[in-house]
């Protein structure tokens, strides 16, 4: 499903790089971020190698409903009431890995956006 040879998230999806996986379905894998910024810092990674929101097809966009179901499931199971979802596009926005993913951050009082 993932195809970019030099992409760290494609390698995680393919099992070539180990990760702490907390959830997986046909469209997403959820792992613990290797460099957490809060007590809870998960990455919901779209399995298909799509670099940014601007590269999503309509069909990809239609799969994004799963993200919210995943967030609902994980936060409910973990008893997380407050959390932030972050998704970066482009270098100035802080994107380091050019494979679309959503940060789920919780477990401490968070600062304001930006
Ligand atoms: P972004 O800056 O939005 O592209 O986020 C990339 C995130 O991926 C950062 O928070 C990194 O800590 C995280 N990351 C990079 N490599 C790995 C890895 N091998 N396993 C887990 N998280 C990673
Ligand atoms: Zn990739």
């Amino acid at each position: 499903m993932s195809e970019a040879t030099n992409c760290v998230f494609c390698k995680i999806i393919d099992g070539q790089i180990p990760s702490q996986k907390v959830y997986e379905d046909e469209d997403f894998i959820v792992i613990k971020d290797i460099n957490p910024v809060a007590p809870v810092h998960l990455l919901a990674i779209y399995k298909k190698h799509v670099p940014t929101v601007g590269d999503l097809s309509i069909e990809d966009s239609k799969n994004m409903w799963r993200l919210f179901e995943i967030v609902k499931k994980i936060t409910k199971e973990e008893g997380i009431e407050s959390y932030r979802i972050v998704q970066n596009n482009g270098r100035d926005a802080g994107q380091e890995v050019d494979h679309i993913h959503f940060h789920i951050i919780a477990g401490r009082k968070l600062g304001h956006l930006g």
Side-chain angles (χ1 to χ4, degrees):
M1 210 165 179
S2 51
E3 69 263 11
T5 47
N6 241 346
C7 171
V8 63
F9 288 170
C10 282
K11 287 180 179 168
I12 284 173
I13 291 159
D14 287 345
Q16 296 170 37
I17 292 178
S19 66
Q20 286 187 275
K21 184 165 60 178
V22 301
Y23 176 87
E24 182 168 14
D25 64 27
E26 61 193 271
D27 288 321
F28 281 91
I29 183 172
V30 183
I31 65 168
K32 294 189 179 181
D33 197 293
I34 205 168
N35 188 19
V37 300
V40 176
H41 188 167
L42 303 175
L43 299 174
I45 304 170
Y46 190 46
K47 283 190 171 176
K48 183 174 161 189
H49 182 85
V50 176
T52 70
V53 166
D55 301 303
L56 289 169
S57 68
I58 299 242
E59 288 309 311
D60 293 321
S61 294
K62 286 180 182 169
N63 291 330
M64 292 299 139
W65 66 270
R66 283 191 197 275
L67 170 74
F68 298 105
E69 291 302 310
I70 291 165
V71 171
K72 283 161 61 180
K73 175 179 157 60
I74 290 175
T75 54
K76 189 174 175 189
E77 282 174 1
E78 301 296 325
I80 298 168
E81 291 179 1
S82 295
Y83 52 90
R84 183 173 288 166
I85 300 170
V86 174
Q87 197 276 318
N88 297 319
N89 298 277
R91 294 289 169 266
D92 283 357
Q95 185 174 16
E96 293 173 358
V97 180
D98 293 339
H99 179 136
I100 201 162
H101 57 282
F102 300 80
H103 301 254
I104 303 157
I105 299 166
R108 66 167 171 81
K109 184 151 176 64
L110 301 171
H112 196 263
L113 291 176

